[in-house]
Amino acid sequence: MAQSSGASQSGEESFEPELNKAFRDRLKPCLDAIDCLRAQGLQKDVRLPAIAVVGDQSVGKSSVLESISGIDLPRGLGIVTRCPLMLSMRNREEAGWSARIKYKTKTGEGREKKLTGASEVGQAIRDAQNEMTNSSGEVSEQLIELWVESPESPDLTLIDLPGIARYSIDGGGAIAGLTKSLILSYIEKEEILILVVIPCHVDIETVEALSLAKEVDPESKRTIGVLTCPDLVNPGSESEVLALMQNRKIPLKKGYVSVRCRTPQQLKDNMSLQQAAREEEVFFRTHPHFRALDKFEYGTKTLAVKLSSELYEAIKHNIPELMREVQMKREDICKKLETMGCGPPDSIEEMKNLLVRMINKFTTDFANVSTGTIVTSQTGCLVAAASTGRHWLTRLSSAPSQSAVTAAKKDIEEQRGCELPGFDNVYPVVERLVRNHFLKLVREPCSNFLVSVNQEVDETVRTLADLVFGDYPTFNQFIKEVCEGIRTGQVDLAREQIRNIFTEEEPYNEKLRLQHRKPESGGKSGEASISSEKPAATMQDIVERNTQRVLEGAEAYIRVAVRRLQDTITLAVMHYMLHKMSDKLRESLIVLVTEPQPLFDKLREENPLISAKRRHLADRMEKLAAAEQELARF
């Protein structure tokens, strides 16, 4: 930090506003705690006080920050500050200078670099902005974090925001809206102090940054004005500017501080910040009009002290709320850690207990899902799915299809000439019709039904395994392979049972004859039918009449068979794929517990993502606890 003197030159006592050691001892830990919370990304969840530096484009924000921090920041024409810059400065008693910069590129890749000299800072910031944006006229809302420690640095954290631009080559006039939106996203927060940089030689009514500050802080309770370029004031307007400097023209609750930074010529001459501070002191003390300013109303060091004090007061005021928010965040992380568990156990006994708990949970969950005891959005209900599937035969009409009618007529015609009076060939035709048409149509839906239930069971087993054993990938895969073998065996048993049901369903003449026989009326139905036929009946008449009898018999059989097959096959599939599957799972997996030693190595291989997440949460918990302790000191 530049040292101000000039007492020997002016003959007056020099004024060097300093933070006393007791205050610095309170301020630094406070700022460190806030920076710790910000580094944890908690600014989105916790309202962290900060000072945001705003101003119109090219009004000297960088010059002000350079004077405060003692480092060279990027300069140039156009949009120089293209990303928000969090500048954390800390004073230290030991000699030496250190800094580091951290940011994310536009592809999301993290960057962090240590800097060895103050002259490297400007280029490091330019490099960061180039990696964070696509062109020199683009603005990004991503934050660059810069930490600086030196004996000359104040204890202060500032956020430098892009200036309000009017136009850019790449963004055109839209850049004005983008920069305003970015600035407002910071300064609209009640916990943010607003440092507005205003050149003395312009009409203050046209300063857009001050208008934005008034918009979000109409009573000017958290706005601080910084007046720059006092050496460029037009002759004759000094009294009006002095009124502004003394907070009489446009009053702000926190007032103004006037500063004089290095001029372009002084920059060209490589004037040091220390020399610039001395000349600043001389300028205000000797200026015909501005020497009327109180000693707390001008000077870069005065500004640094004022900002440190204001930030400290803002933090102290928000300590109770910050403590509550930090505690809530810690409780949230604690719950997440409890849910994740402590990782693989160390002892054999703990390992065995974990194995028993997980297997019991897995088998119980599958039993509950398969019986419909518990239904979840992740697994659904297997028994409901299987029961719904029992309607897979309803699309088959009990009435024979047109192809069946045609086949029946053809079959009857081929039998013509083989009958004797008093005999008929109707029932063999019904038998062949049922076997060759109906049962063929039914086999495919039955097979599809088994495949559908098998897929549901497979998905459910895998989902439950991931939920229960997901933290241990190797063991999880082993369990899935065991379940796969059991499920395959149950599918084979269910398929064999379906074949047996169809074998039992094969018709034979006497069964169909009994189903279709009508009450006798004076003689056998076949004889009555033949004796009642008219001698002149044509072959076509006989075929049509016998076909109708065949279709009536087939329809009666199919109507009963559809209901029977729906029940028997559905029950068979549910028996093997749900109930027996549940029993087999429990029997096979419980056996594993009797000789658990081979499984322990599989349990020790925890999901690396889970381990990394647990370490990350534990680290955040530790840092939050440290920040909470620091905050508790205030």
Side-chain angles (χ1 to χ4, degrees), residues 536-550:
T538 63
M539 180 183 292
Q540 183 64 32
D541 294 334
I542 295 173
V543 170
E544 291 291 342
R545 185 165 55 252
N546 285 348
T547 299
Q548 183 61 36
R549 294 175 61 196
V550 167

Side-chain angles (χ1 to χ4, degrees), residues 311-485:
L311 183 56
Y312 175 76
E313 290 299 323
I315 294 173
K316 188 171 69 172
H317 176 74
N318 283 276
I319 289 295
E321 184 62 26
L322 285 172
M323 290 285 288
R324 282 193 295 270
E325 292 177 350
V326 168
Q327 289 167 0
M328 290 174 60
K329 201 65 181 177
R330 287 188 63 193
E331 290 174 2
D332 180 57
I333 293 177
C334 187
K335 290 178 182 178
K336 290 180 180 178
L337 286 172
E338 289 177 357
T339 302
M340 296 175 67
C342 301
D346 296 325
S347 69
I348 298 298
E349 188 63 28
E350 290 176 344
M351 196 79 75
K352 186 173 182 179
N353 291 337
L354 173 64
L355 184 63
V356 171
R357 286 197 307 271
M358 290 195 300
I359 288 178
N360 279 337
K361 178 171 176 53
F362 176 72
T363 54
T364 301
D365 286 351
F366 183 83
N368 290 335
V369 171
S370 63
T371 58
T373 305
I374 296 178
V375 181
T376 69
S377 59
Q378 294 171 304
T379 59
C381 177
L382 285 177
V383 69
S387 299
T388 302
R390 74 183 300 276
H391 300 295
W392 40 268
L393 280 178
T394 55
R395 65 185 184 86
L396 296 175
S397 171
S398 59
S401 64
Q402 184 59 43
S403 61
V405 174
T406 303
K409 287 184 178 181
K410 182 179 179 182
D411 202 354
I412 291 172
E413 288 176 353
E414 289 175 352
Q415 299 298 321
R416 291 299 300 166
C418 298
E419 318 90 327
L420 293 174
F423 295 87
D424 61 50
N425 282 340
V426 169
Y427 295 106
V429 175
V430 173
E431 177 186 7
R432 287 191 291 275
L433 182 66
V434 169
R435 181 185 297 113
N436 297 333
H437 290 270
F438 172 70
L439 292 182
K440 280 185 177 180
L441 289 175
V442 170
R443 287 182 189 276
E444 183 178 357
C446 290
S447 177
N448 292 341
F449 172 62
L450 176 58
V451 170
S452 174
V453 173
N454 182 35
Q455 290 175 345
E456 290 281 349
V457 171
D458 182 39
E459 292 175 4
T460 300
V461 167
R462 291 181 178 277
T463 299
L464 289 175
D466 289 338
L467 291 173
V468 178
F469 310 109
D471 291 349
Y472 309 94
T474 304
F475 186 73
N476 186 21
Q477 184 59 36
F478 171 75
I479 291 295
K480 288 180 180 178
E481 291 172 0
V482 173
C483 295
E484 174 71 15

